């Protein structure tokens, strides 16, 4: 068992025998250790100019990194990323980061990088970590943490002044709390010194300014977790269902545009096709972020505001009532056990063809097409039985949540501050970002305009272009999490409120309790401080349905 | 001269120093022996406790800058939090319920197993397996078993009852409480069983023989022989189990996450949430102190009772 096999086995994902029995293509067929096998003779194929240059030395080390066959779209993107890191363009962020990092080459530095445990951590372990090490000689150590601990553990280490971490993987919504607490540090000076400014403009406008707080940049955005609607085209094209829907509701059967339509269509499909297929499915298990994200996107689509001018919580409002009523209707129209599902269980139901619509994170598109499952790291997810039947759309109500996302932030206690920043810059530079969002097992999702337009990405599966276009459109009208201090508390309240309602509590009383909890949180953090933070949040594109990228006239439309 | 010369030589000086050190060590031997343990206790127990005493009177909330003195405000926040009270209420109710059920089942099993029979060793080994499993694993296993739509619980019940069963074991009351009871009772009944079985085995057989000669029936033999003889062991088992049950956390964490809403927040889970998820460290520390004080009262009462029973 080699190192990678061991890592994947540790992650509970080793299913080689099962994959073999299913007759799947193994990763070893799919990926070739191109440069190990071909050695120097293969290097020109990846664009190296050999002849004793630094690039040559670096490339020799890069040969240890597992790369896809360059004839595949992924292999081509990887070759381009290596070239951009070693040859340039010389003003590119990737090249500059690698060049600057050479001064740390023999210093014995190890960067400690936090990542969510499990699948998220496979990418730095298998690709970006080893490649960075090969290019710069800087060692890396991936520290795997459960998602909530990605917030709490850096705080604990900061309080202990341990200097345990160099680069943190955090939610954008945690930035205000972590910045105020001194856990992360601004990177403006490094950006000014090392980053190609055009790379900032390559971010979709929703993500470009999401790391700004109090006028400073607190990290580089690195995961476009934009919710989108995924639906079964074969069901929506079924003539019998079309006729039946028209007869029942007097309007055409189509992909829902509003949340009321969504419940109605989902219920109709369930009535017509259950128990074989249900209209919808959601991840609404306790502690599953599905509750908070569903509620917050829908609440804002319904015109809801979080606070009034005095920072009094506005949850107990008509918008709150409407949202919870709609969500209850969705639950009723959904697959049995809807309220006990987490995101992965929902994906399993979707891939097995049990539900007609889900709204979720972007990996949904990749696993629906069976692109992701070709890698054994993720082959525990069922094969998609709906691979050629999936359509992509903006979520009903238009305002899909940019649900969490990740920012790579510089830990304030880092002993290797500049090297850590250079890694952040390199790993999120356009060519690297593209590869990392293309890896079959990745959970990093596209966020750069160049990625949405990438021919390599569009060649990954037949409908990949539609998928990318839709993600871009979703981001245009998307809403972001509540990026302000106390987000953890506010979000926890929403989850408690929703699961209480699913458990039978009256919606009015649940909303009133939640509003009271929000008020408590606001008071604990200080009303004036929270008021200022809220004012800042209001400026972020995607703060509300009337303040989206599209409404601000900044939309990016790609074809 | 000779003596003086000897005393002044370097080796003699060294011998005197060694002798002095040895004498000092002899004098302070008892303190040297307890020093490592004392230092460890000071470092890992006393210091954190004193530190926590400081924390409860200041603002030690990560999201609020500074460590300003706030008096009793942290205690006030706990006392005024309805969730603190409801989680305490649930802790008491669940603890009493699980301990009572585990006691009854453990006693029944112990009575059934006290006499030897063929295969007793294997049956006992199987019965105590849950004791060796981590509570986190137990919680996760029960979550997988009960969770809809992929867990087999509802399917098995449907087969058993001959009609569809759709119970949301972890999403609706009262099922969520039943799920917690099931998981806890499954794991900890063997604990009661083992202790009570040991107690039963220690009762002198001649007491039963005498009772039998007196024509005492099985029920009365239990009432007049077994119960009084087993009482101290029963009290010990109940005390130990109750002390553990009030800390109920792992199963809640894995099985229900405190939900639906906050319906299954126990005190431990509540303090964990505010301390290690929301990072209101002062408030969590104040809550921990209050819980510790409450627990101390219960523990003291139980231990006194236990000592009295043993003395009798």
């Amino acid at each position: 068992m080699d190192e990678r096999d061991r890592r994947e086995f540790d992650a509970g994902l080793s299913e080689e025998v099962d994959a073999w029995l299913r007759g799947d293509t193994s990763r070893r067929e799919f990926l070739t250790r191109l440069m190990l096998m071909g050695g120097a003779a293969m290097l020109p194929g990846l664009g190296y100019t050999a002849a004793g240059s630094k690039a040559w030395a670096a490339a020799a080390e890069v040969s240890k990194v597992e790369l896809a066959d360059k004839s595949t779209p992924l292999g081509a993107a990887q070759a381009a990323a290596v070239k951009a890191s070693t040859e340039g363009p010389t003003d590119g962020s990737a090249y500059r980061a690698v060049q600057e990092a050479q001064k740390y080459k023999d210093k014995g530095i190890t960067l400690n990088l936090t990542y969510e445990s499990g699948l998220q951590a496979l990418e730095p372990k298998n690709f970006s970590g080893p490649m960075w090490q090969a290019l710069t000689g800087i060692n890396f150590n991936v520290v795997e943490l459960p998602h909530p601990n990605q917030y709490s553990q850096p705080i604990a280490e900061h309080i202990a002044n341990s200097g345990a971490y160099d680069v943190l993987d955090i939610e954008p919504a945690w930035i205000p709390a972590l910045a105020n607490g001194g856990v992360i540090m601004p990177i403006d000076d490094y950006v000014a010194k090392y980053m190609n400014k055009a790379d900032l403009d390559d971010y979709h406008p929703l993500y470009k300014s999401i790391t700004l707080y109090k006028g400073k940049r607190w990290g580089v955005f690195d995961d476009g977790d934009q919710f989108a609607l995924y639906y079964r085209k074969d069901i929506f094209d079924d003539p019998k269902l079309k006729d039946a829907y028209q007869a029942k509701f007097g309007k055409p059967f189509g992909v829902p545009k509003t949340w009321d339509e969504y419940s109605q269509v989902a219920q109709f499909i369930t009535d017509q096709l259950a128990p074989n297929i249900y209209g919808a499915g959601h991840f609404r298990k306790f502690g599953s972020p599905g509750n908070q994200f569903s509620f917050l996107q829908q609440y804002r689509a319904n015109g809801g505001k979080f606070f009034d001018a005095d920072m009094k919580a506005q949850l107990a409002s008509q918008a709150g009532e409407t949202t919870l009523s709609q969500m209850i209707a969705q639950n009723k129209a959904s697959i049995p056990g809807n309220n006990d599902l987490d995101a992965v269980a929902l994906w399993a139901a979707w891939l097995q063809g049990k539900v007609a619509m889900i709204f979720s994170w972007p990996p949904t598109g990749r696993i629906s097409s069976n692109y992701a499952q070709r890698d054994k790291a993720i082959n525990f997810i069922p094969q998609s039985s709906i691979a050629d039947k999936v359509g992509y759309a903006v979520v009903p109500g238009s305002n899909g949540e940019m649900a969490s996302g990740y920012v790579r932030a510089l830990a304030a206690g880092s002993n290797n501050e500049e090297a850590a920043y250079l890694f952040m810059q390199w790993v999120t530079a356009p060519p690297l970002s593209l590869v990392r969002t293309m890896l079959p097992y990745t959970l990093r999702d596209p966020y750069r305009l160049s990625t949405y337009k990438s021919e390599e990405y569009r060649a990954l599966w037949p409908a990949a272009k539609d998928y990318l276009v839709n993600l871009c459109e979703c981001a245009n009208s998307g809403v972001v999490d509540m990026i302000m201090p106390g987000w953890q508390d506010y979000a926890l309240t929403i989850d408690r409120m929703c699961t209480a309602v699913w458990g039978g509590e009256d919606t009015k009383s649940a909303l009133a309790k939640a509003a009271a909890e929000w008020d408590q949180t606001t008071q604990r953090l200080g009303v004036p401080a929270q008021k200022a933070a809220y004012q800042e949040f209001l400026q972020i594109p995607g703060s509300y349905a009337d303040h989206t990228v599209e409404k601000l006239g900044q939309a990016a439309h790609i074809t | 001269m000779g003596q003086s010369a000897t005393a002044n030589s370097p080796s003699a000086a060294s011998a005197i120093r060694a002798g002095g050190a040895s004498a000092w060590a002899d004098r302070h031997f008892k303190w040297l022996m307890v020093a490592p343990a004392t230092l460890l206790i000071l470092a890992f127990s006393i210091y954190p406790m004193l530190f926590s005493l400081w924390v409860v009177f200041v603002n030690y909330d990560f999201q609020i800058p500074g460590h300003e003195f706030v008096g009793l405000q942290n205690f006030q926040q706990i006392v005024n939090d309805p969730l603190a009270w409801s989680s305490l209420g649930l802790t008491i109710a669940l603890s009493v319920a699980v301990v009572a059920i585990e006691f009854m089942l453990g006693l029944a099993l112990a009575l059934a197993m006290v006499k030897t029979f063929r295969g007793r060793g294997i049956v006992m080994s199987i019965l105590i397996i849950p004791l060796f499993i981590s509570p986190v694993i137990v919680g996760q296993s029960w979550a997988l078993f009960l969770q809809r739509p992929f867990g087999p619980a509802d399917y098995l019940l449907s087969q058993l009852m001959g009609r569809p069963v759709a119970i949301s074991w972890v999403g609706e009351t009262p099922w969520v409480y039943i799920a917690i009871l099931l998981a806890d009772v499954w794991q900890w009944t063997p604990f009661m069983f083992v202790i009570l079985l040991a107690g039963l085995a220690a009762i002198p057989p001649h007491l039963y023989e005498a009772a039998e000669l007196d024509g005492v029936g099985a029920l009365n033999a239990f009432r007049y022989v077994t119960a009084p003889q087993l009482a101290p062991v029963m009290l010990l088992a109940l005390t130990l189990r109750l002390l553990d049950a009030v800390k109920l956390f792992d199963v809640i964490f894995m099985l229900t996450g405190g939900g639906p809403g906050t319906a299954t927040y126990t005190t431990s889970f509540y303090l964990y949430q505010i301390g290690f998820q929301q990072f209101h460290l002062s408030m969590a520390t104040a809550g921990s102190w209050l819980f510790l004080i409450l627990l101390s009262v219960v523990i003291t009462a139980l231990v006194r009772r236990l000592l009295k029973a043993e003395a009798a």
Side-chain angles (χ1 to χ4, degrees):
Chain A
M1 186 180 275
D2 65 20
E3 180 61 17
R4 175 171 173 158
D5 285 342
R6 192 187 58 71
R7 288 197 300 263
E8 286 165 5
F9 185 81
D10 287 347
L13 309 174
S14 180
E15 295 291 347
E16 283 184 283
V17 177
D18 288 352
W20 179 74
L21 288 172
R22 284 198 302 269
D24 294 352
T25 308
S26 76
R27 189 180 56 247
R28 278 176 181 76
E29 288 170 59
F30 174 66
L31 297 174
T32 55
R33 293 172 188 261
L34 185 63
M35 302 170 81
L36 269 181
M37 287 163 59
M42 302 287 283
L43 292 174
L46 280 178
Y48 292 107
T49 53
S53 66
K54 271 188 179 177
W56 173 268
E61 289 300 313
V62 172
S63 68
K64 292 175 185 167
V65 181
E66 193 172 75
L67 297 170
D69 189 320
K70 67 169 182 172
S71 66
T72 64
L74 177 60
Q78 286 176 329
V82 174
K83 188 177 175 185
S85 303
T86 54
E87 287 189 354
T90 53
D91 63 345
S93 296
Y95 182 83
R96 293 184 67 181
V98 169
Q99 289 304 309
E100 288 299 328
Q102 297 305 317
K103 62 188 168 202
Y104 299 107
K105 195 167 185 112
D106 299 316
K107 298 273 168 45
I109 286 176
T110 297
L111 294 181
N112 293 302
L113 322 166
T114 69
Y115 271 90
E116 184 174 27
S117 45
L119 282 176
Q120 286 278 10
L122 287 180
E123 184 278 309
K125 284 177 172 179
N126 292 338
F127 178 69
S128 59
M131 183 169 277
W132 175 252
Q133 193 169 22
L135 292 168
T136 64
I138 297 175
N139 301 318
F140 72 101
N141 173 39
V142 175
V143 183
E144 294 192 53
L145 299 170
H147 186 80
N149 293 20
Q150 287 184 282
Y151 174 76
S152 56
Q153 199 63 32
I155 295 172
E157 296 294 346
H158 174 71
I159 291 170
N161 202 20
S162 70
Y165 307 132
D166 298 294
V167 181
L168 305 175
D169 214 20
I170 59 168
E171 286 186 26
W174 299 344
I175 287 176
L178 296 180
N180 289 347
V183 179
I184 56 176
M185 56 187 299
I187 58 168
D188 301 81
D189 292 345
Y190 287 125
V191 169
K193 198 169 170 188
Y194 297 125
M195 190 181 279
N196 184 325
K197 303 304 170 297
D199 290 350
L200 284 177
D201 294 331
D202 188 39
Y203 279 109
H204 184 284
L206 184 67
Y207 310 127
K208 186 178 172 182
S209 51
I210 207 166
T211 61
L212 296 175
Y213 176 65
K214 292 186 174 171
K216 291 177 181 167
R217 190 171 294 277
W218 297 87
V220 282
F221 188 76
D222 191 31
D223 188 12
D225 271 342
Q226 178 63 51
F227 270 11
L229 183 72
Y230 300 86
Y231 63 93
R232 288 276 298 277
K233 288 192 287 190
D234 57 324
I235 291 172
F236 282 93
D237 290 341
D238 185 330
K240 280 185 192 164
L241 288 177
K242 282 182 170 180
D243 292 345
Y245 190 86
Q246 179 75 40
K248 188 168 184 183
F249 298 108
K251 58 181 179 182
F253 181 49
V255 180
K257 296 276 189 290
T258 67
W259 286 112
D260 285 332
E261 264 181 31
Y262 176 76
S263 309
Q264 189 180 68
V265 167
Q267 188 64 59
F268 171 76
I269 295 171
T270 296
D271 293 344
Q272 296 289 319
L273 303 177
N276 296 323
I277 300 173
Y278 294 86
H282 311 87
F283 50 112
R284 292 190 172 161
K285 186 186 175 185
F286 64 87
S288 161
N291 285 314
Q292 75 207 29
F293 296 142
S294 288
F295 180 86
L296 292 178
Q297 68 178 3
Q298 218 164 308
Y299 176 71
R300 283 179 281 183
N302 286 326
K305 299 288 179 193
F306 297 143
F307 303 102
D308 68 7
D310 299 320
M311 284 305 285
K312 198 96 179 118
Q314 298 298 292
L315 290 173
S317 59
Q318 187 53 49
E321 275 283 326
T322 305
T323 303
L324 280 182
S325 307
Q326 287 170 338
M327 290 174 80
I328 291 168
Q330 291 161 14
N331 294 344
K332 187 170 161 282
S334 294
I335 186 171
N338 179 72
N339 301 350
D340 295 345
L341 294 176
D342 57 23
V344 174
L346 175 61
W347 275 338
W350 163 251
L351 295 171
Q352 286 164 2
K354 297 295 288 181
V355 292
M357 297 184 284
I358 66 170
F359 55 85
S360 187
W361 285 294
T364 312
R366 302 194 291 273
I367 59 175
S368 298
S369 68
N370 272 333
Y371 170 68
Q373 290 91 322
R374 67 186 60 192
D375 194 288
K376 77 172 178 184
I378 204 166
N379 71 6
F380 67 99
I381 288 181
Q383 287 290 302
S384 172
S385 61
I386 52 169
D388 52 350
K389 300 172 182 167
V390 178
Y392 318 111
V394 174
V395 297
S398 291
N399 307 117
E401 187 87 358
M402 204 297 284
S404 176
Y406 271 117
V407 169
R408 304 212 60 75
L410 194 50
S414 168
N415 296 315
N416 309 297
E417 202 182 293
E418 186 174 72
Y421 167 78
L422 292 170
F423 172 77
M424 287 162 51
Q425 175 175 306
W426 173 79
V427 85
T428 56
L432 273 301
S433 161
L434 174 65
V435 172
R436 292 168 60 243
T437 55
M438 283 176 73
L439 290 167
Y441 54 82
T442 192
L443 290 185
R444 295 281 141 162
D445 303 311
Y447 52 87
R448 287 190 173 277
L449 297 174
S450 56
T451 303
Y452 296 138
K453 295 173 192 163
S454 161
E455 288 307 320
E456 286 86 6
Y457 205 124
R458 288 175 180 208
L460 289 182
W461 70 92
K465 180 189 163 188
D466 299 337
Y467 165 76
L468 291 169
V469 169
N470 187 61
L471 285 184
C472 184
E473 288 301 323
C474 288
N476 285 336
S477 56
V479 286
V480 298
D481 297 337
M482 196 196 291
I483 303 176
M484 54 187 286
W487 157 246
Q488 293 286 86
D489 295 24
Y490 295 125
L492 178 65
T493 292
I494 297 295
D495 186 49
R496 286 171 176 170
M497 175 187 74
C498 288
T499 56
V501 171
W502 312 160
E505 186 167 343
D506 168 61
T507 54
K508 269 200 168 64
S509 121
L511 283 162
K513 271 190 206 165
E517 273 189 34
W518 272 28
D519 287 340
Q520 265 181 11
T521 298
T522 305
Q523 277 155 19
R524 186 187 301 127
L525 297 174
V527 175
Q530 287 302 88
K531 195 185 272 190
Y534 184 55
Q535 288 307 311
E536 193 155 344
F537 166 72
L538 291 176
Q539 306 308 313
I540 299 173
S543 56
Y544 277 112
D546 57 3
H547 197 73
T548 61
V549 165
E550 192 144 54
K551 292 277 164 59
L552 293 169
Q554 300 170 0
H557 299 289
I558 60 162
T559 53
Chain B
M1 171 74 186
Q3 267 187 346
S4 160
T6 307
N8 288 334
S9 72
S11 63
S14 151
I16 288 167
R17 273 202 300 276
S22 173
W24 184 90
D26 284 346
R27 277 201 311 278
H28 299 93
F29 183 72
K30 58 185 178 186
W31 300 115
L32 286 172
M33 285 296 102
V34 297
T38 309
L39 285 173
L40 282 175
I41 290 170
L42 281 172
F44 295 112
S45 211
I46 307 295
Y47 170 73
M49 197 172 261
L50 292 175
F51 183 75
S52 77
L53 269 178
W54 172 71
V55 166
V56 293
F57 294 110
V58 300
N59 155 49
Y60 209 90
D61 190 318
F62 164 71
Q63 296 191 53
I64 306 166
H67 301 315
E68 177 194 347
F69 179 78
V70 294
L72 294 172
Q73 187 187 302
N74 292 312
F75 291 100
Q76 254 174 350
Q77 281 181 333
I78 290 286
V79 172
N80 293 335
D81 188 352
L83 190 50
W85 290 103
S86 66
S87 59
L88 181 64
L90 183 72
T91 304
I92 294 168
L94 275 179
S95 304
V96 170
V98 294
V99 171
I101 294 169
E102 286 159 14
F103 175 75
M104 299 304 286
L105 288 177
L107 184 59
L109 280 172
L111 288 169
M113 301 284 290
V114 72
K115 285 186 179 150
T116 53
F117 58 86
R118 200 180 171 83
R120 179 174 176 254
I122 294 172
V123 174
M124 278 180 61
S125 300
I126 293 170
L127 280 174
I128 61 172
I129 282 175
L131 266 185
F132 300 108
I133 303 174
S134 152
V136 172
I137 305 292
V138 170
Q140 183 61 38
S141 303
W142 279 92
L144 290 171
F145 180 69
L146 297 172
Q147 193 177 37
R148 288 197 304 161
F150 302 113
D154 281 2
Y155 170 77
L156 291 174
L157 279 175
S158 302
Q159 295 297 308
L160 203 66
M161 298 174 77
R163 59 180 176 79
V165 173
I167 297 172
S168 180
W169 292 94
V170 294
E172 286 172 14
T173 51
W175 300 110
V176 70
Y177 299 120
I178 294 169
I180 294 168
L181 287 176
L182 276 172
D184 198 89
V185 166
W186 181 82
Q187 177 159 41
W188 294 111
T189 295
F191 175 82
M192 288 288 194
F193 160 64
V194 168
I195 291 190
L196 293 174
L197 184 63
L200 282 174
I203 298 174
H206 68 262
L207 294 178
Y208 291 106
E209 289 161 11
E212 201 175 342
L213 287 175
D214 289 344
V216 174
L219 205 63
N220 279 334
F222 178 81
R223 188 176 168 192
Y224 294 112
V225 179
T226 308
Q229 290 292 316
L230 199 59
V233 178
M234 285 177 174
L235 195 57
L236 176 71
L238 286 168
T239 305
L240 291 177
R241 191 58 206 107
L242 196 64
L243 290 180
D244 195 47
V246 291
K247 296 184 294 184
L248 185 61
F249 174 82
D250 317 63
V251 168
I252 303 283
F253 183 78
M254 299 308 295
L255 190 62
T256 73
T262 53
T264 56
Y265 269 57
T266 56
T267 301
S268 296
F269 189 80
Y270 166 75
L271 293 173
Y272 163 78
Q273 277 287 348
I274 56 174
F276 297 109
Q277 291 305 305
Q278 297 170 273
F279 258 84
H280 308 314
L281 290 175
S282 293
M283 196 176 157
T285 312
S288 300
W289 269 103
L290 290 176
F291 190 48
L292 180 69
I293 291 164
L294 273 177
L295 263 186
S296 303
V297 173
V298 179
I299 292 168
T300 308
L302 281 169
V303 170
R304 273 188 187 163
R305 193 77 192 260
L306 192 62
L307 292 173
K308 209 181 279 180
E310 275 181 359

